[in-house]
Amino acid sequence: VTQGVVVVEVEEGSYAAQVGLQKGDVIIGINDAEMKRTRDVRQATQSRRSYWKLTIGRDGQVLNTVIAG
């Protein structure tokens, strides 16, 4: 994975932790939009949605998952 937003911390008990995000994950995309900066992630997750489609880089693999909003 050459670009994306690196998860530097996941607070215990947070929604990020509950859906399985881990420190070191790279958020590559949300709802098929590229994530290049932290601001991109904030903007993509601000609106209320019934779900988010995440593309995440972890340990050299690219994972796709859908989480409830």
Side-chain angles (χ1 to χ4, degrees), residues 2 4 7 9 12-16 25-26 28 31 39 41-44 46 51 56 60 62 64 68:
T2 58
V7 177
E9 182 178 9
E12 189 175 322
S14 69
Y15 188 67
D25 283 352
V26 179
I28 301 167
N31 297 329
R39 177 178 54 204
V41 174
R42 268 191 247 117
Q43 288 175 344
Q46 275 183 340
Y51 71 91
I56 300 167
V62 175
N64 291 293

Side-chain angles (χ1 to χ4, degrees), residues 1-4 7 10 21 23 26 29 39 52-54 59:
V1 177
T2 58
Q3 64 179 344
V7 177
V10 178
L21 284 176
K23 181 179 178 179
V26 179
R39 177 178 54 204
W52 285 288
K53 178 183 169 192
L54 298 180
D59 298 326

Side-chain angles (χ1 to χ4, degrees), residues 19-69:
V19 299
L21 284 176
Q22 300 175 10
K23 181 179 178 179
D25 283 352
V26 179
I27 301 172
I28 301 167
I30 298 177
N31 297 329
D32 298 318
E34 278 188 6
M35 298 294 112
K36 295 181 180 178
R37 296 181 283 287
T38 306
R39 177 178 54 204
D40 297 335
V41 174
R42 268 191 247 117
Q43 288 175 344
T45 58
Q46 275 183 340
S47 62
R48 290 290 275 166
R49 295 185 63 104
S50 56
Y51 71 91
W52 285 288
K53 178 183 169 192
L54 298 180
T55 303
I56 300 167
R58 179 184 292 161
D59 298 326
Q61 296 183 356
V62 175
L63 310 170
N64 291 293
T65 189
V66 176
I67 60 171

